[in-house]
Amino acid sequence: MEELGNLLQIDNLFTTLIAPPGWGKTRMLLELFESEIKKIVFISPLRALAEEFSSAVGKKAFVLRPKCERNKLLQAYQQSEFGVLVATPELVDRNLLDIIEEQKDILVVMDEFHLYYYWGHTFRPAMWEACTGLINSSNRVLALSATMGESILEQWKSDSLQIEQEQVVINLGNQTLKNHPHKINYYHAQLKGRLFLRLSLIHCVLNKEGNTTLFFVRLRHQVDYWVEYFSKRGARALGCKGGVVIDFIEELDMDNPPQIIIATTAISHGVNLPPISEVFIDYPTKNLDFWIQMVGRGGRRGESFSVYTLDSYLGGRYRRGSSLISTGIRGAYLAIRHYFDL
């Protein structure tokens, strides 16, 4: 930790830290702020992660929100001796970049760095504008990620030739899991495979004891469908989708967690969840970065968990097969009755 703190205080340096989901990158940053680094600008592509980080920082956090008194907040941060300014990329403007350029001791942290490549070139162009502005204005940058695929690494390698900072890459485990699942149940990505996966999900939830099941779906309306489906059958179900993650966090009771959380990839990155015993992914992701992020939501507190997936990533290392076999004929029969309302 001390070595990293010393490294991040070197002028004109861009540091990329790649470590598995749940490794503790955010916790490490908080420790460095308390001991080594006086001022941080923390930029997260995900509003929920920005809010969680600001809560962890506490009184020293200056949080840029769309409707805040922006100039007053920036001035207060500029005049502070210690502080962490927290924002999303869309809220990065010329005034903030000028402050970063003027105060050379500020460490700029770009959280979930891979998302700038996935989203910044498509539906959130302001992300890429913020990325280039931050890099060009900053004396010290720390980029954090757990998953940077080969194509993104190649793009970053090419882009990095254009920046003036020296570069250091600390790779503590790219596209890997800190906490490995006890078992991965792999289903072939076809109609029959998806049906079996869903039947396994239903049997698991309606006979659940213990920790929460996390069920990832592709589309927003599927979240609503499955929340209604399980709620009608007496299960405690909670949904989460893009744009309402803050509402989800406020509704989530960590002391009395739901039996199942149904979500899009909106909570695949870092939002605090209760202990997860199963991770179900209802569609072929065809993207190892996002698959690792989703699977990495399990085992964050050291709990044992299983994965049910239509992707064969890591499949060779883990036991394959339909979990209907392990639940037995009666379990499969009960699941089918529930699924078709028999």
Side-chain angles (χ1 to χ4, degrees):
M1 182 66 70
E2 183 179 350
E3 291 82 358
L4 180 59
N6 293 334
L7 183 68
L8 296 177
Q9 295 185 66
I10 297 175
D11 290 340
N12 200 40
L13 184 66
F14 191 113
T15 304
T16 304
L17 175 60
I18 307 173
W23 181 84
K25 295 183 285 294
T26 303
R27 184 179 66 252
M28 169 213 69
L29 195 57
L30 290 171
E31 292 175 2
L32 287 174
F33 173 62
E34 293 175 356
S35 61
E36 305 285 343
I37 300 169
K38 292 183 177 181
K39 301 193 75 172
I40 294 173
V41 169
F42 181 88
I43 307 298
S44 173
L46 301 166
R47 165 55 63 186
L49 292 188
E51 294 290 345
E52 283 193 350
F53 185 71
S54 66
S55 296
V57 173
K59 295 181 180 180
K60 295 294 185 181
F62 298 78
V63 187
L64 272 179
R65 298 185 177 95
K67 296 181 180 181
C68 73
E69 295 185 48
R70 183 182 190 89
N71 292 336
K72 184 177 179 180
L73 186 141
L74 287 176
Q75 185 179 20
Y77 175 72
Q78 187 175 19
Q79 294 174 352
S80 67
E81 184 179 359
F82 299 91
V84 179
L85 188 139
V86 181
T88 55
E90 284 78 4
L91 297 177
V92 174
D93 66 358
R94 187 66 255 172
N95 289 338
L96 176 55
L97 295 177
D98 287 344
I99 291 172
I100 294 170
E101 192 167 358
E102 177 185 326
Q103 298 189 352
K104 299 296 185 181
D105 61 333
I106 291 176
L107 173 67
V108 171
V109 178
M110 302 175 68
D111 195 30
E112 307 295 352
F113 188 57
H114 59 286
L115 293 180
Y116 288 86
Y117 283 88
Y118 280 117
W119 298 345
H121 293 305
T122 54
F123 67 98
R124 286 177 67 179
M127 280 183 62
W128 192 251
E129 293 175 15
C131 179
T132 56
L134 289 165
I135 292 173
N136 290 330
S137 302
S138 307
N139 192 36
R140 304 168 186 169
V141 181
L142 172 63
L144 300 175
S145 181
T147 50
M148 294 186 68
E150 287 297 326
S151 62
I152 291 179
L153 285 172
E154 286 300 315
Q155 290 179 62
W156 168 231
K157 183 178 179 180
S158 175
D159 292 340
S160 66
L161 296 175
Q162 311 302 317
I163 70 175
E164 296 181 0
Q165 292 101 324
E166 296 294 325
Q167 296 175 58
V168 172
V169 177
I170 304 172
N171 187 349
L172 301 177
N174 186 17
Q175 295 183 320
T176 61
L177 293 166
K178 177 177 181 286
N179 302 301
H180 287 265
H182 171 69
K183 179 181 177 183
I184 292 182
N185 299 278
Y186 165 59
Y187 304 82
H188 291 288
Q190 54 185 331
L191 181 60
K192 182 179 178 182
R194 183 168 297 175
L195 174 63
F196 276 18
L197 181 145
R198 291 181 176 183
L199 293 177
S200 299
L201 168 75
I202 293 164
H203 175 76
C204 176
V205 174
L206 296 182
N207 295 275
K208 169 165 281 300
E209 294 181 5
N211 295 335
T212 301
T213 295
L214 178 56
F215 181 36
F216 283 105
V217 296
R218 187 192 298 272
L219 303 173
R220 295 169 61 89
H221 74 83
Q222 292 175 303
V223 173
D224 300 328
Y225 169 82
W226 284 106
V227 167
E228 181 181 7
Y229 179 91
F230 283 109
S231 296
K232 282 184 176 180
R233 286 154 181 80
R236 298 190 311 280
L238 186 61
C240 181
K241 48 195 176 184
V244 294
V245 180
I246 301 298
D247 296 334
F248 165 81
I249 293 172
E250 292 176 352
E251 190 176 352
L252 179 62
D253 185 350
M254 299 292 275
D255 295 324
N256 184 31
Q259 291 170 269
I260 180 169
I261 295 172
I262 303 102
T264 61
T265 55
I267 60 169
S268 62
H269 291 72
V271 176
N272 285 331
L273 298 176
I276 301 297
S277 51
E278 299 89 19
V279 176
F280 284 81
I281 304 174
D282 191 49
Y283 59 96
T285 64
K286 299 180 181 179
N287 184 309
L288 180 58
D289 284 350
F290 283 95
W291 189 85
I292 288 287
Q293 293 284 354
M294 286 189 275
V295 171
R297 300 321 325 267
R300 288 293 184 102
R301 293 171 171 82
E303 71 273 13
S304 175
F305 73 105
S306 299
V307 173
Y308 299 75
T309 177
L310 298 171
D311 293 288
S312 59
Y313 300 127
L314 309 184
R317 305 183 199 173
Y318 297 93
R319 185 176 174 183
R320 299 188 183 197
S322 168
S323 64
L324 286 179
I325 297 174
S326 60
T327 60
I329 296 175
R330 177 170 173 76
Y333 171 70
L334 291 174
I336 291 171
R337 282 180 58 87
H338 283 298
Y339 186 77
F340 292 107
D341 295 320
L342 296 175

